[in-house]
Amino acid sequence: METHGLILTKRLVKAFKMGQQKVLAVNGLEIQIQSNSFTAIMGPSGSGKSTLLYLLGGLDRPTSGSIIVGESILDHMDENELAAYRRQKVGFIFQSFNLVQSMTALENVEFPMWFSGVPPKYRRQRAGELLKRVGLEDRLLHRPAELSGGQQQRVAIARALVNDPALILADEPTGNLDTQSGQNIMQLLSELHRDGKTILVVSHDTRMLRYATDVIYILDGRAVSEMEYRSNSEPSMQ
Amino acid sequence: MKLLDLLRMILDNLNRRKSRVALTAVGVVIGTASVVLLISFANGMQQNTANQIGNMGDLTTIFVYPGAPMEVGARSGGGGMGAPLEKPLNNEAIEQISTLPGVSQIIPRVDLMGGSMIKFGKLEAWASVVGLPIQDASVLGYTAKEGTTQLERGTAILGGWAVKNFYDPSMRPGQEPPPPPDLAGQQVRVVIFKYSEDGQEIRKTYSFRIVGVLAETQAEADSWLLVRMDDLIPMNEWATGQRANYKRNGYHQLIVKADGVDTVVELTKQITEMGYMAWTPQGIVQGMNSLFTIIQVIFGGIGAIALLVAAIGIANTMTMAILERTREIGLMKAIGASNRDVLSIFLGEAAGIGLVGGLGGVLFGWGGGKMLNLVLLQTLTTQAAENGGLPPTVVVYTPAWLPFFAVLFAAAIGLLSGLYPALRAATLEPVTALKYE
């Protein structure tokens, strides 16, 4: 597994047009994240934390500023290089799981390997191993509709691991789950961290702080100190 | 993405949506089937006509008739009273025509100038008596059904239909007509008649030995009684009561043989420009060919309209599929699919629908053609027998290239109609696609 050093953003700006208005979702953000850390990004709705995650994952492009992940300078990459970056360097986990409903658990985990050119025989074997690792060896041929939310999210985690990326990006991974399932997912992410992955989790869930090694607080598209964050957002937080 | 994986994924995706793929493909099936069937139908018509024209005799033959009457003012030198008003086919004309490039032979023709009848025993028949200075009718492309095509003085060759015309004048109504007599080697009498000044019919009988009966040609020769010109000239002299100088005043017709099928039409044009009326079966063949090309294009066009509707169906299905699968597209991009991968997948699915429809369409079009052949051939053959023509050999003819072309064409149509939806899919912003509800 490759250790890719630091994640770094410089004067990062992402602007959206909302009707006539220009909204700055990320506004001059500067952060540093150590490799092999478990970093929680905390912030209220609309603070720009999900946007930051998508920017770091190469799914979105910044309006200005630069993003460096290991040796990759994301804002210099073209579409094909970004696709290769997503294929090789990162694994995504989403709040709504984003499994393909018509595919079995096994097929969903295999899916990314179609694009990375892994031979079919090896695909099946690898997907089986990963589903076993997340505790779903008896659910291989179930479709998402036949799985609980927690099980679906574990399929999604297995899928994120399939190309053995160094960086795992999770967008509210526990947001759609009950307390117990959420707890299990956090534990699973923590295990992955112990195995050497860099984990970056965007969350509302303060329980995540128990597993995180680092925390980044975000308000209005900017990184702030814990103190500033608490004094500004406490009333609005749960 | 590897090509094999791409193909497998396209197949999987089509397989996952069987009913929708099938419904969309039905449109392509109808379109392709109509293209195949209509073009095959036009081809069948062409084949049939070509077969029937092919029997008309040698396609290197040009029939030349005397030129149309010229305006009197255009004539150089007074022809005087009784001068022919048409450009005659005399020796001068033969010399003139023989200088044209591509002419291999010129055979003058003389027709009997009067009424005639052929008698065999108590049977009678009518035929047009034609005299040619030839030793063998095969130089005109005719073949013998019975006997030979070799022609000597005192012998005659009968056309394919003329032999069926024999009837018994003493036969009472309701009696079975006699079967066509077997004439090869038999002596027949040719009775010619003319009228005296007081209106009396005068007859004269000549005797000929029939040496052969020609195979049917669906042309003029079918009703011929072909004799040597030297035999016919005295008959004409008796019938008209005067000696005719054909070399000077012109024959009734010249049969010009070209040295190849390619030069025939050009040669016909040149002879026409010289002021004669010239006609060749090859001209009909060419005219027919261009006519059938037009028919094929029109028929193909009708089928193509059906295919166009099918193409819009594919575009519609693919656009819907992309709306439905927006999140899936977003996910594909998040897990590392390139724009090209996404484009290839959706283009492949569209082409796949076209291909499936094309295969089905070729099957139906080809099978339908076979069935039409079975049903129509029988009816048309019966009809042809009643009306006395050659039976059609084929109604619907599918040339070998057509099924392959149709399948490829259908797949290409699918690909083309998938272009816009697939491009949209490929250029979707991943984040927008992932959040699409």
Side-chain angles (χ1 to χ4, degrees):
Chain A
M1 199 177 310
E2 170 206 7
T3 48
H4 54 80
L6 227 55
I7 295 176
L8 203 69
T9 71
K10 279 185 195 154
R11 294 186 298 282
L12 191 62
V13 175
K14 177 69 188 178
F16 291 106
K17 269 220 172 105
M18 279 211 162
Q20 295 288 322
Q21 272 199 309
K22 203 170 138 193
V23 178
L24 294 172
V26 174
N27 186 9
L29 186 88
E30 307 227 346
I31 55 166
Q32 280 191 15
I33 295 165
Q34 298 300 323
S35 58
N36 305 327
S37 68
F38 187 134
T39 305
I41 302 176
M42 308 293 285
S45 304
S47 60
K49 56 191 192 309
S50 290
T51 305
L52 171 64
L53 199 74
Y54 289 129
L55 286 170
L56 292 177
L59 274 177
D60 211 349
R61 287 174 167 283
T63 311
S64 67
S66 93
I67 307 165
I68 297 157
V69 178
E71 308 102 54
S72 314
I73 304 170
L74 267 52
D75 45 293
H76 287 178
M77 289 180 168
D78 65 21
E79 288 288 337
N80 283 328
E81 289 167 331
L82 276 179
Y85 168 78
R86 296 193 291 259
R87 195 155 59 228
Q88 294 153 7
K89 303 279 170 72
V90 291
F92 278 100
I93 300 165
F94 304 94
Q95 178 175 0
S96 52
F97 324 131
N98 273 329
L99 299 176
V100 180
Q101 294 299 319
S102 53
M103 291 182 181
T104 63
L106 203 61
E107 288 166 341
N108 264 293
V109 178
E110 277 182 61
F111 201 25
M113 290 188 278
W114 287 84
F115 302 107
S116 48
V118 177
K121 229 161 77 187
Y122 181 69
R123 288 204 286 256
R124 190 125 295 203
Q125 186 193 341
R126 170 96 176 130
E129 282 168 15
L130 284 166
L131 281 170
K132 194 170 171 190
R133 170 158 183 198
V134 298
L136 289 174
E137 60 267 42
D138 54 345
R139 294 283 186 276
L140 297 183
L141 300 178
H142 288 57
R143 288 176 203 282
E146 300 157 350
L147 298 171
S148 73
Q151 287 171 330
Q152 288 189 53
Q153 194 59 299
R154 277 189 276 163
V155 174
I157 291 173
R159 183 180 63 194
L161 293 172
V162 98
N163 286 330
D164 203 10
L167 179 61
I168 302 281
L169 300 173
D171 184 14
E172 307 270 13
T174 60
N176 280 7
L177 301 178
D178 61 76
T179 321
Q180 185 53 47
S181 303
Q183 195 76 36
N184 291 343
I185 294 300
M186 286 186 238
Q187 263 160 14
L188 189 52
L189 288 175
S190 176
E191 279 168 32
L192 296 178
H193 169 236
R194 269 209 304 283
D195 292 350
K197 303 276 184 204
T198 306
I199 313 274
L200 201 57
V201 183
V202 161
S203 189
H204 274 125
D205 196 337
T206 46
R207 290 177 302 167
M208 201 61 87
L209 296 176
R210 266 184 273 157
Y211 300 93
T213 57
D214 297 272
V215 185
I216 293 172
Y217 296 98
I218 294 193
L219 278 179
D220 300 327
R222 235 183 293 230
V224 296
S225 69
E226 186 178 357
M227 207 126 76
E228 191 182 343
Y229 179 77
R230 292 208 184 285
S231 61
N232 278 291
S233 64
E234 205 71 352
S236 69
M237 292 292 285
Q238 54 257 46
Chain B
M1 209 173 169
K2 287 179 185 162
L3 183 66
L4 216 64
D5 280 345
L6 176 68
L7 293 179
R8 268 189 56 181
M9 181 172 287
I10 289 165
L11 262 172
D12 281 0
N13 285 350
L14 290 176
N15 215 20
R16 276 196 279 161
R17 298 168 184 84
K18 278 193 204 78
S19 57
R20 188 179 308 177
V21 168
L23 280 174
T24 312
V26 165
V28 186
V29 169
I30 294 172
T32 313
S34 39
V35 166
V36 170
L37 198 57
L38 288 171
I39 292 184
S40 300
F41 194 54
N43 257 300
M45 281 160 71
Q46 185 169 14
Q47 284 256 318
N48 243 323
T49 316
N51 283 345
Q52 303 205 346
I53 291 176
N55 285 326
M56 273 165 61
D58 199 334
L59 291 180
T60 58
T61 307
I62 304 166
F63 300 100
V64 182
Y65 300 90
M70 284 196 213
E71 277 174 49
V72 178
R75 227 161 236 284
S76 58
M81 288 290 286
L85 281 173
E86 48 188 27
K87 207 172 173 187
L89 296 169
N90 50 19
N91 266 9
E92 200 185 319
I94 294 178
E95 258 167 53
Q96 234 184 337
I97 291 172
S98 63
T99 59
L100 293 176
V103 174
S104 72
Q105 197 180 352
I106 300 176
I107 303 164
R109 163 179 163 179
V110 172
D111 294 327
L112 179 66
M113 314 277 283
S116 70
M117 186 196 290
I118 303 167
K119 288 195 168 190
F120 176 63
K122 54 178 184 169
L123 298 179
E124 293 178 359
W126 175 87
S128 59
V129 183
V130 171
L132 296 175
I134 53 172
Q135 272 96 49
D136 194 335
S138 66
V139 297
L140 295 169
Y142 300 131
T143 55
K145 190 163 64 179
E146 288 166 41
T148 171
T149 55
Q150 305 277 335
L151 193 61
E152 288 164 30
R153 285 203 69 164
T155 67
I157 295 172
L158 203 55
W161 281 351
V163 73
K164 295 181 187 165
N165 285 344
F166 280 92
Y167 68 100
D168 183 353
S170 63
M171 196 177 78
R172 278 185 295 277
Q175 233 177 318
E176 275 288 302
D182 185 9
L183 286 175
Q186 301 287 338
Q187 209 73 25
V188 299
R189 282 163 293 145
V190 177
V191 180
I192 62 175
F193 30 87
K194 66 176 177 182
Y195 296 91
S196 66
E197 270 163 32
D198 52 2
Q200 284 284 308
E201 191 189 84
I202 312 168
R203 296 184 167 214
K204 188 166 185 192
T205 302
Y206 295 83
S207 186
F208 286 96
R209 190 165 56 86
I210 301 290
V211 289
V213 177
L214 295 180
E216 281 179 40
T217 61
Q218 308 296 315
E220 196 200 347
D222 283 347
S223 57
W224 276 1
L225 179 76
L226 179 60
V227 299
R228 288 282 293 263
M229 191 187 273
D230 339 1
D231 284 335
L232 188 61
I233 287 170
M235 291 163 83
N236 267 349
E237 280 170 2
W238 179 83
T240 57
Q242 52 184 250
R243 297 182 72 92
N245 189 344
Y246 295 106
K247 285 179 182 156
R248 199 172 63 109
N249 295 333
Y251 298 94
H252 294 132
Q253 192 191 58
L254 297 180
I255 299 170
V256 176
K257 301 274 296 171
D259 55 11
V261 181
D262 306 332
T263 53
V264 173
V265 173
E266 180 55 32
L267 207 50
T268 307
K269 227 175 89 189
Q270 285 173 337
I271 295 173
T272 309
E273 277 165 6
M274 287 165 68
Y276 305 101
M277 298 200 333
W279 176 88
T280 172
Q282 176 63 19
I284 296 195
V285 172
Q286 291 207 344
M288 288 290 175
N289 279 345
S290 49
L291 175 70
F292 282 115
T293 308
I294 293 171
I295 291 179
Q296 276 191 37
V297 168
I298 292 174
F299 277 18
I302 294 170
I305 291 173
L307 260 184
L308 184 73
V309 175
I312 295 169
I314 295 179
N316 194 8
T317 300
M318 292 312 293
T319 309
M320 292 301 293
I322 280 150
L323 281 181
E324 267 180 21
R325 287 154 73 186
T326 300
R327 284 177 73 110
E328 191 181 318
I329 294 163
L331 173 75
M332 286 200 285
K333 292 198 165 184
I335 60 180
S338 65
N339 288 0
R340 212 186 124 164
D341 290 338
V342 177
L343 184 77
S344 310
I345 289 167
F346 282 94
L347 271 184
E349 287 183 28
I353 296 176
L355 188 74
V356 169
L359 285 171
V362 163
L363 222 65
F364 273 97
W366 185 72
K370 288 264 161 214
M371 230 137 80
L372 270 182
N373 262 348
L374 273 180
V375 177
L376 282 182
L377 260 187
Q378 213 149 39
T379 337
L380 290 178
T381 307
T382 324
Q383 248 175 39
E386 280 167 10
N387 301 340
L390 274 187
T393 44
V394 70
V395 176
V396 178
Y397 173 76
T398 311
W401 57 267
L402 187 57
F404 298 99
F405 169 78
V407 169
L408 284 181
F409 190 62
I413 289 258
L415 196 78
L416 218 64
S417 42
L419 204 60
Y420 170 69
L423 268 173
R424 262 184 52 177
T427 52
L428 269 177
E429 296 243 6
V431 177
T432 326
L434 277 168
K435 287 179 182 159
Y436 184 84
E437 299 285 327

